[in-house]
Amino acid sequence: LWRRGIPELLQHYQSLRREYDQTIRDGQIPKENQLDDLLELLNVLATYQTREGTDCVIEAARAGLGGEDYQWYSILSSYSAEHPQAERLFAELSQPLPDADSIAESLLDAANAIAVEDEEFTHPFASPAGLIRLKKWLSSADEMDLGKAYSAAAALAYINLPGREVLLDVAAVHPDVSVRIEAAAAAVHAGLPVGLERLVEYCKDVH
């Protein structure tokens, strides 16, 4: 499969991608399931851990292919600490971060999962642009952004940059208590006394 199957998958993906891109350029509606097929192929390519497959994932993420599709969570979650292409993928997608929020959120979740295991991991959101995106999600009162806010709060445990404490304060007044608690836990992980103080207060709140 590695020797013969992966090259055929790559060729099939690239053919479908050219057809899809041409359809969009022509101002037409893509065929039914065409986008789903592309994202499913990316998922398979990510799973098989080849450099060429990861090249396709990086390019598609940058281009915002299916930018609001939650299949991106499955695609990027394949890039665990054991994935030989993970370091390159996170480095490539950190500068710049994907524009599409669903892709960026999936990247954030995948990065957080590695950061839990690897203290030396360079988080792709550990940059001024990354902090701006996290602040955007933490500041949102939209219920649709709750998952993003929770993941953003969790990421603060692993991003040691000036400005982190400001974001922890933003998270501390988030409308959802789960985000506030996650931010307090992140502050504890970062060794900030305010984190423990906030966790104690939340434990006292029986509601």
Side-chain angles (χ1 to χ4, degrees):
L1 178 61
W2 285 78
R3 187 177 69 256
R4 300 180 62 181
I6 297 302
E8 290 188 13
L9 281 175
L10 286 165
Q11 185 176 15
H12 184 48
Y13 169 80
Q14 290 161 356
S15 176
L16 287 180
R17 180 64 189 277
R18 286 192 295 270
E19 181 182 340
Y20 178 86
D21 288 347
Q22 187 61 53
T23 300
I24 298 298
R25 284 195 295 270
D26 292 343
Q28 299 176 3
I29 299 174
K31 296 177 182 177
E32 186 176 1
N33 298 326
Q34 193 173 15
L35 179 59
D36 287 342
D37 289 345
L38 284 169
L39 294 177
E40 186 57 40
L41 283 169
L42 287 175
N43 200 8
V44 174
L45 291 170
T47 301
Y48 278 96
Q49 304 184 350
T50 66
R51 183 178 183 87
E52 294 80 7
T54 294
D55 286 340
C56 291
V57 173
I58 292 170
E59 186 279 329
R62 284 176 171 165
L65 180 69
E68 298 308 315
D69 196 302
Y70 283 95
Q71 282 198 62
W72 275 103
Y73 179 83
S74 296
I75 295 167
L76 294 178
S77 65
S78 293
Y79 291 89
S80 65
E82 292 75 30
H83 196 300
Q85 300 297 323
E87 183 177 355
R88 185 169 71 93
L89 175 124
F90 288 115
E92 291 281 350
L93 293 183
S94 66
Q95 298 290 341
L97 291 167
D99 287 332
D101 269 0
S102 288
I103 300 177
E105 179 186 7
S106 298
L107 182 72
L108 177 63
D109 287 335
N112 286 350
I114 292 185
V116 170
E117 303 177 21
D118 183 1
E119 293 184 357
E120 302 301 317
F121 175 65
T122 301
H123 201 290
F125 282 73
S127 67
L131 292 182
I132 289 171
R133 185 70 70 91
L134 296 181
K135 185 177 182 181
K136 170 190 169 184
W137 291 338
L138 288 169
S139 302
S140 175
D142 189 338
E143 289 186 2
M144 296 297 292
D145 287 337
L146 179 57
K148 299 180 185 72
Y150 184 88
S151 297
L156 296 176
Y158 315 111
I159 297 176
N160 185 15
L161 289 178
R164 175 171 63 178
E165 292 188 39
V166 172
L167 294 193
L168 287 169
D169 289 340
V170 172
V173 295
H174 192 276
D176 191 273
V177 67
S178 66
V179 174
R180 300 198 298 271
I181 291 174
E182 188 63 31
V188 170
H189 184 277
L192 301 175
V194 68
L196 184 58
E197 294 169 8
R198 287 171 179 167
L199 282 180
V200 169
E201 290 302 313
Y202 295 138
C203 289
K204 292 178 181 178
D205 186 353
V206 297
H207 303 293

